Amino acid sequence: MKKESGGSALIRALADENVDLLFGYPGGAALHIYDAIYQQDKVQHILVRHEQAAVHAADGYARATGKVGTVLVTSGPGATNAITGIATAYMDSIPLVVISGQVASHLIGTDAFQETDMMGISRPIVKHSFLIQSPEEIPEVVKKAFIIAKTGKPGPVVIDVPKDMTDPNHLFDYQYPKDIKMRSYSAPSEEEESNVDEAVSLLEKAKKPVLYAGGGIIQGNASEELKKLAKIMNAPVTNTLMGLGAFPATHENFIGMLGMHGTYEANMAMHEADLIFALGSRFDDRTTNNPKKYSLNAKKIHLDCDYGSIEKIINVDVSLNGDAKKILNQILNKIDPKNIDKASIDLWNNEILNWRETHGLNHDLLDKKFHQKQILPQQVIQSLYKSTNGKAFITSDVGQHQMFAAQYYKFDEPRKWINSGGLGTMGFGLPSAMGVKFAFPDEDVVCVTGEGSIQMCIQELSTCMQYGLPVKIINLNNRALGMVKQWQDMQYGGRYSSILYEDSLPDFVKLAESYGHVGMKVEDISELEERMDECISMKDKLVFMDVYVDPDEHVYPMLEAGGNMSEMRVSKTKKTF
Amino acid sequence: MSHISILMENQPGALSRVVGLFSQRGYNIDSLSVAPTNDSSLSRLTMVVKEEESIISQILKQLNKVIDVVEVQNLSDIESVSLEIAIVKLKITEKEAKKIIESAFPVVGEIINHKDAFVMIKLIGSNHEVDDFLLSLNKQKFLEVTRSGLLGMGTGENFLISESETTIEY
């Protein structure tokens, strides 16, 4: 049995967890660990340019693959820089293991150089955390961390490692545990038959059902089961921002994303439904509008692996707590197609189609280049959709471009849409695209961003150069912080407080070129599609496509604050209430 | 008001996870008492939370999610007994203290220290009884008080004990 030090045991334990990529940034407290990395070749370390990007990259990797993303940072500023990334993953329930160096045990609490209380600082934004107290416990802690991160409602787990715990001179026998004992933790499983029966009975009685599916269906790998249920019932399906791809966007039962910037028909359907079946979605405030006015006539069923998410915001008639795939299979085994009110549901689907015809999204904007001066941001997404045949991984930052991508790129598969839905972290797009590209080098990986967001992690262009990562960056450049501007237009009388920086934007083409990448600038709608094809076809190059779009465009529909799900603005001049 | 008992791992950071949950989600703790149990790997924590029922239900769910929390029991939902211990320091004579103790019923009192002009009295009772008693004390002579927070335990077969460890393989 080869003896290991704490540092080498840590890396060996990662290899035993089949970790192939470790995103990180070295520093004093992590140096023993970095030396251990140097002396092996199973775990490849990816050097980013800022710790926030390391976490986002691991996060993108985790979202795209379904595996646990792994991060290594040093103590103090390394740890605090990772915090935004950890909070991002926590809000979207993404499985990560984040290893942070810490000052040596005897220095903890002395305000030592680069000391910060990582356990304390990360506590509200982790699923769990460990402080290593002896080198010998490292393999077991790593095993626990991975199990906790990926089972149940996934989430980030921090392992804080004081430097003396990784001392290369302290050697011990290494054994990676096959199983571990945790008396306080068990993963969710099936639901009791009686609750399933109640749910099935409501589903069979429904005349106006909506299946409202979120990220839990993607995390729980339950898309196939959802498709089967939708087919049996012929029920309309809406996805949350986090759930896009859980149900195919080109499927005839799909009625688009719901919520703040959801489609008119999806929000109307939520308001008029007589049954809402929430599947792996959590009645987030962006999808309910005012909870007191929320879908008052609908019975509600809530399936979630997190018992704490059930009845947190909206009271439900039936709760199904457990694994989405298992519980959906329980339902599929029990539901009797003969009992479903097909005639009523047909009428319901027609009603929804009528709504779509009134105020639905126009997916053919590219066909209408009516003497346009400016490129519409929606047209860029439609052009991207065409050029990638709808098959690309799309990561996004946060703002108008994110909503346009969510609305107009039709995701047919889970794990293809990678965005910071819960925390809304600007700067997420480029590093998460790197993580996806590492996992899927032969697939198209596109970061849809804005000139505001991209500058929050733009240093990662250097990482992309180092590792030769040919991601595509589509920059919807409206020369302003567009979503804030939209709110200032709508609610603050057009007083543009601190959102303008047109005179100080970099030349993104030259900036990309300075890192050895390809830069493109597109200002004319007539050349958009051709340049987009050209951009996507450059398989071996990172292309930064800077697209000047109409700075006055708003995202619609938009739910009216404080209202119900049917109260929307559908354009600058039209509203439904 | 709910009286909640929690069994949790006796690990560094476990208490801050439980207490942190309350501040993080905007719940208020009215009283809190924590100490290791006969099993030194476990701590027992007892708290009083003054929130409405829907919030209590949410608190119980969130507590169950904390990895270090082994078992949670809402003592208010079952038959249970509870009591609180308080120590008060008064500027009175021992004779006066004895009189106060006699009048304290149903609170049970006992002089535990007498130094200089000060007397310390130990009091045991339900928290309302202790509240009432403290209110009745002469403010000028009432100098200091410390309270254990409400302790409690389910009666009969309402146990709060740890189930055997679950082994997780994957």
Side-chain angles (χ1 to χ4, degrees), chain A residues 17 90 119 123-130 133 143 146-148 150 153 178-186 306-312, chain B residues 9-13 16-17 20-21 23-25 39 41-42 58 61-62 64-70 162-170:
Chain A
E17 279 296 329
Y90 181 73
M119 293 290 285
R123 187 192 46 70
I125 51 162
V126 294
K127 186 170 174 190
H128 196 56
S129 49
F130 296 94
Q133 291 171 296
K143 178 93 183 175
F146 275 81
I147 289 178
I148 291 171
K150 72 191 278 183
K153 186 183 175 88
K178 284 196 183 62
D179 53 51
I180 47 148
K181 293 186 192 322
M182 274 189 287
R183 57 184 156 192
S184 56
Y185 184 77
S186 60
D306 173 22
Y307 189 47
S309 288
I310 295 173
E311 301 211 312
K312 185 170 69 184
Chain B
E9 300 286 350
N10 189 6
Q11 286 281 336
S16 79
R17 280 182 227 278
L21 179 80
S23 61
Q24 190 181 337
R25 296 196 181 261
D39 175 350
S41 72
L42 289 171
Q58 186 54 218
K61 288 175 184 174
Q62 296 299 339
N64 268 308
K65 270 169 69 177
V66 176
I67 308 277
D68 283 333
V69 169
V70 180
S162 162
E163 289 165 10
S164 57
E165 289 183 309
T166 5
T167 303
I168 303 179
E169 284 182 62
Y170 89 118

Side-chain angles (χ1 to χ4, degrees), chain A residues 284-301:
Chain A
D284 170 86
D285 57 281
R286 284 292 185 273
T287 69
T288 60
N289 213 1
N290 186 344
K292 292 196 179 102
K293 299 180 186 169
Y294 179 70
S295 308
L296 299 173
N297 299 320
K299 297 264 184 198
K300 293 164 192 99
I301 309 171

